[in-house]
Amino acid sequence: MSKCALINKQQIYQTPLDYSWKESETGIIITVPLKGVKANKADVFSTDQYLKVSFPPYLFEVQLLAPINEETSNCKVGDGAVVFTLEKLQHVTWGKLSDVSQDDKEMWKQLRQQAVEKAHEKAAKDIEEKAKKKREEHQLAVNRQIELESEEKKRIERVKEAERQKTSEEIENWKETDAYLTKQPTKNGKDSIFDNAVKDDNIPAPRSGGSIQVKFTTRTFPTAARESRAQEEQEWLDKIAAAKRPKGEPGDNPEESDPMWLKDKGSTFFKAGDYVSAINAFSEAIRLEPILPSLYLNRSACFLKIGDYPRCIEDCCKALERLTPPVPANAAQRSKAFIRRGTAYFKLELYVDALQDYEEALKIDSNNESLNHDAEMIRKVIQGSNLVDEDTVE
């Protein structure tokens, strides 16, 4: 909540409960002393008409005479007191803070229950609005991506049409040249390729079709029974068969054709420290679904772990190409791509490029202390004022 309007013509009321309040036509200020209780022990709860401050063994609560504007009102806890600065919805002088008697316990019980229910409804509404806004942003990003792809497709079609027209014009222009006219056959047909055709009626007929049966012996490994490794040999044969299988053709395991299953498999390998297997899983997923930026991001993390920094940079660039247009829905992925690419540049001692990527990440997440710290250290390396261990930039 922000501060409400300045209160003019203020009137101060002291109550027997040792709290004070003052009002104007536009706002009201309530001061509740904490009586020696630490500020972090005070629990404040409020709605548009109900206020409560609990600081054991004391309790302050009030049902305001009229509703207030929750969005522009605020509460400050500190300096030995809780101060409510409230803006009235209707700019009139109240003359009193509340019209509910402190002795009516049953009424206060109902008011508390109503305040809690109203707070729950407001929280649920806020959550729903946030979820709705997130869905709208995601849909906006999808629609924008579709528009970009449609514009790119139209651009390619225009280029192809222009090339086709250009080629047609070149062909028509060539037909008008002497080189084309001299190659045309004469009217009597003497230049025809069929002038000297063989006219022998004794040419044998084509051969009739047939089939040949070929049998192959079963491939076996000459291994003694006590040393047999038949299971491993069969796995080897299966791998050879899978390698010979055309790309895109499903194998015996249908899960291997699911890019999401391969992505999860790669993440499992990565967590286990098996980065080479993780790279293989992510690469296969990319072959099946090359438009997902998360696959390139995950594989770039593997390359960064094994020290293959050029391929890490390449995957980060591909991920950023697919994370367009830049919207809040893909901000986290774009930040990861800039940080990993900047780290790879730093490992390759390309400090200026590294600093540029870290600054791009800071534009997305300017409050990240770790990013600010790493960017500052890279600046010092560029300026030659400090030597930094490469392992500090991760």
Side-chain angles (χ1 to χ4, degrees):
M1 297 185 288
S2 61
K3 290 186 177 179
C4 64
L6 292 176
I7 298 179
N8 299 319
K9 300 180 181 179
Q10 297 175 342
Q11 298 177 358
I12 302 176
Y13 301 85
Q14 283 286 345
T15 68
L17 296 178
D18 197 18
Y19 70 90
S20 62
W21 66 285
K22 52 188 177 181
E23 70 166 338
S24 70
E25 290 185 355
T26 58
I28 184 169
I29 296 177
I30 304 173
T31 303
V32 182
L34 292 178
K35 297 184 178 181
V37 178
K38 294 182 179 179
N40 59 2
K41 299 294 184 181
D43 181 25
V44 180
F45 174 77
S46 66
T47 64
D48 62 340
Q49 200 168 355
Y50 175 81
L51 305 178
K52 183 181 77 171
V53 182
S54 175
F55 49 108
Y58 303 104
L59 173 66
F60 166 79
E61 61 181 353
V62 62
Q63 178 73 11
L64 299 174
L65 187 66
I68 61 170
N69 189 339
E70 288 188 272
E71 299 298 327
T72 58
S73 301
N74 70 83
C75 173
K76 179 181 179 182
V77 182
D79 297 330
V82 179
V83 180
F84 293 94
T85 305
L86 314 174
E87 181 181 0
K88 300 176 180 178
L89 284 178
Q90 297 180 351
H91 294 173
V92 296
T93 302
W94 293 356
K96 58 180 179 178
L97 190 61
S98 175
D99 58 358
V100 181
S101 173
Q102 294 291 335
D103 298 329
D104 193 347
K105 296 182 178 180
E106 188 63 29
M107 176 61 71
W108 280 108
K109 183 177 179 181
Q110 294 178 4
L111 292 175
R112 294 188 195 103
Q113 184 64 28
Q114 292 174 2
V116 171
E117 291 176 355
K118 184 178 291 186
H120 287 171
E121 292 175 359
K122 185 176 183 299
K125 184 178 179 181
D126 292 342
I127 293 173
E128 178 61 26
E129 289 179 353
K130 290 181 180 178
K132 181 179 178 181
K133 183 178 179 181
K134 185 176 181 180
R135 290 194 298 269
E136 291 176 351
E137 291 177 348
H138 177 72
Q139 187 62 39
L140 176 64
V142 172
N143 293 339
R144 181 55 181 160
Q145 184 66 29
I146 293 174
E147 291 176 3
L148 291 174
E149 292 178 355
S150 178
E151 292 174 359
E152 180 64 15
K153 184 177 180 181
K154 292 179 180 178
R155 186 189 68 81
I156 294 173
E157 291 295 332
R158 289 195 298 269
V159 173
K160 291 169 64 177
E161 180 63 21
E163 290 294 330
R164 186 190 65 79
Q165 293 179 359
K166 180 180 178 181
T167 303
S168 299
E169 292 176 357
E170 291 177 350
I171 293 174
E172 293 298 327
N173 294 334
W174 176 74
K175 286 182 178 180
E176 297 177 359
T177 61
D178 295 337
Y180 173 78
L181 296 175
T182 55
K183 290 184 179 181
Q184 299 304 306
T186 58
K187 293 182 179 180
N188 58 12
K190 291 183 178 180
D191 293 335
S192 174
I193 61 174
F194 299 102
D195 286 344
N196 299 320
V198 178
K199 297 181 180 180
D200 191 350
D201 296 335
N202 297 324
I203 298 176
R207 295 181 182 179
S208 58
S211 60
I212 300 175
Q213 298 294 330
V214 179
K215 294 183 179 181
F216 297 95
T217 57
T218 303
R219 179 167 183 169
T220 57
F221 293 84
T223 307
R226 64 179 178 276
E227 300 176 358
S228 176
R229 305 179 70 178
Q231 183 177 359
E232 295 181 10
E233 294 164 356
Q234 185 60 42
E235 290 177 357
W236 183 83
L237 291 174
D238 293 340
K239 289 180 180 179
I240 295 298
K244 293 180 179 180
R245 186 183 300 120
K247 291 186 177 180
E249 180 180 334
D252 296 334
N253 187 359
E255 291 179 336
E256 295 179 357
S257 300
D258 184 2
M260 292 298 101
W261 182 86
L262 290 168
K263 178 183 177 183
D264 295 337
K265 196 70 175 177
S267 299
T268 302
F269 285 134
F270 182 89
K271 293 176 182 178
D274 188 358
Y275 304 121
V276 175
S277 298
I279 290 172
N280 293 335
F282 291 136
S283 298
E284 181 64 16
I286 289 172
R287 185 185 68 79
L288 297 171
E289 195 65 54
I291 65 173
L292 291 180
S294 58
L295 297 176
Y296 294 94
L297 278 176
N298 291 353
R299 192 171 69 173
S300 70
C302 299
F303 287 137
L304 191 61
K305 286 290 186 181
I306 65 175
D308 194 345
Y309 304 126
R311 297 186 70 182
C312 174
I313 293 171
E314 180 182 355
D315 273 357
C316 291
C317 292
K318 291 180 179 178
L320 289 171
E321 290 174 359
R322 288 158 176 79
L323 290 171
T324 54
V327 294
N330 60 25
Q333 288 184 315
R334 287 188 287 112
S335 178
K336 285 183 181 179
F338 283 123
I339 293 171
R340 286 179 186 161
R341 191 172 69 177
T343 303
Y345 278 137
F346 185 90
K347 299 292 186 180
L348 294 173
E349 299 183 357
L350 300 173
Y351 301 124
V352 175
D353 294 333
L355 180 59
Q356 290 177 352
D357 277 350
Y358 268 79
E359 288 177 345
E360 289 295 328
L362 284 171
K363 291 179 182 178
I364 300 172
D365 188 8
S366 58
N367 297 325
N368 192 317
E369 295 181 0
S370 177
L371 275 180
N372 280 289
H373 176 70
D374 289 346
E376 183 61 27
M377 288 197 301
I378 296 173
R379 291 190 190 97
K380 291 180 179 180
V381 172
I382 295 173
Q383 296 169 1
S385 61
N386 189 18
L387 295 177
V388 181
D389 184 3
E390 290 184 351
D391 294 334
T392 60
V393 180
E394 290 291 347

